[in-house]
Amino acid sequence: MKKLTAVLMGLSLMVSLGGCTNYQPEKRSDGRVSGIQPMDISKVEPFSYGPVIARVDVISGKPEFRIWQFEKDGDIKTGIWESTPGKWHFRNAENHWEYCRIIEGESIITEDGGEPHHVKAGDSFILHEGFSGTWEAVKTTRKDYVIRTRR
């Protein structure tokens, strides 16, 4: 029953992230949507969740996560993600590609069977489709992201 609950909560997260934003794009004086959209978290309510909903296996700590999603357009999502300290194992879906840039904090990302990658504010990287490994938020870490999900 516990595993079924975790799966259902994970599915709920996937549905929620599709519409978790209350972000309203800026409009120009002529009423059209602006061609540039600042990612200002003060204008968006975050979606907060724990490891069960995130469908990750916690190794240490008690990480909690927040997302400020700014755009969801077809196969593309953009936003800001944050985690409190902890370490967990995760796996990207076979159709999930993600560009990330660390805004603040420090983390260590280690691909299964690979070397650890220490990331800090200013670092950017790509998590390829099917990536599997651990993420350790040494200090609360915030990143912006662009996710492409192939259909």
Side-chain angles (χ1 to χ4, degrees):
M1 185 67 172
K2 197 173 192 179
K3 191 165 192 145
L4 176 60
T5 301
V7 168
L8 290 174
M9 292 178 84
L11 289 172
S12 174
L13 171 67
M14 299 301 282
V15 170
S16 296
L17 289 180
C20 73
T21 181
N22 61 349
Y23 178 71
Q24 297 297 315
E26 291 185 8
K27 298 210 175 177
R28 301 183 331 191
S29 60
D30 63 5
R32 295 185 341 184
V33 173
S34 174
I36 185 167
Q37 297 296 319
M39 290 173 49
D40 181 352
I41 64 173
S42 70
K43 296 182 179 181
V44 179
E45 283 295 319
F47 175 74
S48 300
Y49 58 102
V52 172
I53 293 175
R55 297 183 308 158
V56 299
D57 297 319
V58 174
I59 297 166
S60 64
K62 294 183 179 183
E64 292 292 323
F65 310 103
R66 293 194 298 175
I67 289 178
W68 295 263
Q69 186 167 291
F70 291 93
E71 189 94 6
K72 181 176 188 279
D73 184 16
D75 298 344
I76 304 292
K77 293 179 194 164
T78 62
I80 295 175
W81 169 92
E82 179 182 85
S83 175
T84 59
K87 183 176 183 178
W88 59 93
H89 188 271
F90 72 104
R91 177 171 166 57
N92 277 356
E94 292 300 325
N95 65 343
H96 177 111
W97 175 97
E98 182 174 354
Y99 163 83
C100 308
R101 182 179 56 92
I102 303 297
I103 299 169
E104 62 185 56
E106 293 179 35
S107 285
I108 302 169
I109 305 164
T110 307
E111 187 169 14
D112 291 344
E115 296 296 317
H117 294 271
H118 295 257
V119 294
K120 61 187 180 333
D123 292 342
S124 57
F125 52 94
I126 293 171
L127 294 173
H128 286 281
E129 297 168 326
F131 174 91
S132 182
T134 60
W135 186 301
E136 180 180 4
V138 178
K139 295 181 180 174
T140 295
T141 299
R142 186 176 287 179
K143 69 176 182 178
D144 58 16
Y145 64 85
V146 176
I147 295 172
R148 182 194 72 206
T149 306
R150 286 186 300 126
R151 294 179 189 200

